[in-house]
Amino acid sequence: MKKLLVLFVMIVFILNLSALGENIKYGGTLRVVNAIGGNLVPNFNPFSPSAVSILPVIYETLFSVNILNGEIVPMLGTSYKWEDNNLKLVITTRNGVKWSDGTPFTAKDVAFTFNYLKENPALDQSGIWSPLSGLQSVEASGDSVVVFTFAKQNTPMFFYIVEQSIIPAHIWSDVKDPSTWTNPNPVGTGPFEFESIDI
């Protein structure tokens, strides 16, 4: 358990340095040890409850919300605003980001992610599309703006929306059964790329 805690602290430290804009050395290898024991299943599906724990360093969210103090840190999103009497959430996405396979990231990937959840309700672990949320549609407006439209005011949904891992449309649009797919070669925007796993 101590090894796992040390690993978690190291990952958080690395991510915090990146957020602060410190001089970071690029390259190298992060080796993750299964310190808990038992069989490690090579599941890199960010929608799966049994996925490996390192996915947050592969897949990013729009923002990171500190639940202790409410601080909102930009990730794939750079800004947001509520419009139309809090019935529209407009998020601007970061320019110049590429998926780990070199494909440009756009707001269309964000819209795809949320509409993918709607098409595959088993993946919607946060109830983003539940009838209670009031979410009606998610649409990309160009390459850097995403608009979430609600039937009723529900600003608390902001947390669940911005903390959702974003997936690449060009990969996941071909996945036939996302609830069972283990995503053996994950393509993300995070600071780490998956190379191999030894079980």
Side-chain angles (χ1 to χ4, degrees):
M1 193 62 153
K2 287 182 181 177
K3 288 181 182 177
L4 183 64
L5 180 59
V6 169
L7 176 63
F8 176 75
V9 169
M10 285 174 53
I11 290 173
V12 170
F13 178 71
I14 290 168
L15 292 176
N16 282 340
L17 283 179
S18 297
L20 294 173
E22 298 290 332
N23 286 333
I24 301 296
K25 179 183 175 189
Y26 290 90
T29 301
L30 171 66
R31 289 185 172 82
V32 179
V33 178
N34 182 16
I36 297 175
N39 292 331
L40 181 65
V41 178
N43 182 353
F44 298 96
N45 183 334
F47 303 115
S48 173
S50 62
V52 296
S53 60
I54 62 166
L55 286 185
V57 299
I58 297 175
Y59 290 99
E60 293 180 300
T61 60
L62 291 167
F63 296 90
S64 176
V65 181
N66 184 326
I67 60 172
L68 298 178
N69 62 17
E71 180 183 2
I72 300 171
V73 178
M75 302 289 282
L76 290 174
T78 58
S79 65
Y80 69 91
K81 59 183 174 180
W82 286 95
E83 296 180 346
D84 194 18
N85 200 26
N86 291 341
L87 293 176
K88 284 189 179 180
L89 173 61
V90 180
I91 295 178
T92 302
T93 59
R94 192 172 300 282
N95 291 319
V97 175
K98 291 187 177 180
W99 294 99
S100 56
D101 64 0
T103 303
F105 158 81
T106 71
K108 293 170 186 168
D109 292 302
V110 178
F112 172 84
T113 299
F114 287 95
N115 288 307
Y116 199 69
L117 291 174
K118 185 178 184 179
E119 293 166 12
N120 299 279
L123 308 181
D124 188 7
Q125 299 173 26
S126 298
I128 290 170
W129 287 102
S130 78
L132 296 176
S133 78
L135 184 61
Q136 284 188 316
S137 66
V138 180
E139 298 176 344
S141 177
D143 286 340
S144 60
V145 174
V146 186
V147 180
F148 297 79
T149 303
F150 291 82
K152 60 182 180 180
Q153 293 178 349
N154 192 354
T155 55
M157 282 303 297
F158 174 82
F159 174 82
Y160 301 101
I161 288 170
V162 301
E163 287 279 348
Q164 173 62 53
S165 295
I166 305 302
I167 56 173
H170 68 283
I171 300 288
W172 286 77
S173 59
D174 294 328
V175 176
K176 302 302 179 201
D177 188 359
S179 63
T180 60
W181 190 48
T182 58
N183 191 19
N185 297 300
V187 172
T189 57
F192 292 96
E193 295 178 17
F194 172 72
E195 184 175 287
S196 65
I197 186 168
D198 292 323
I199 298 177

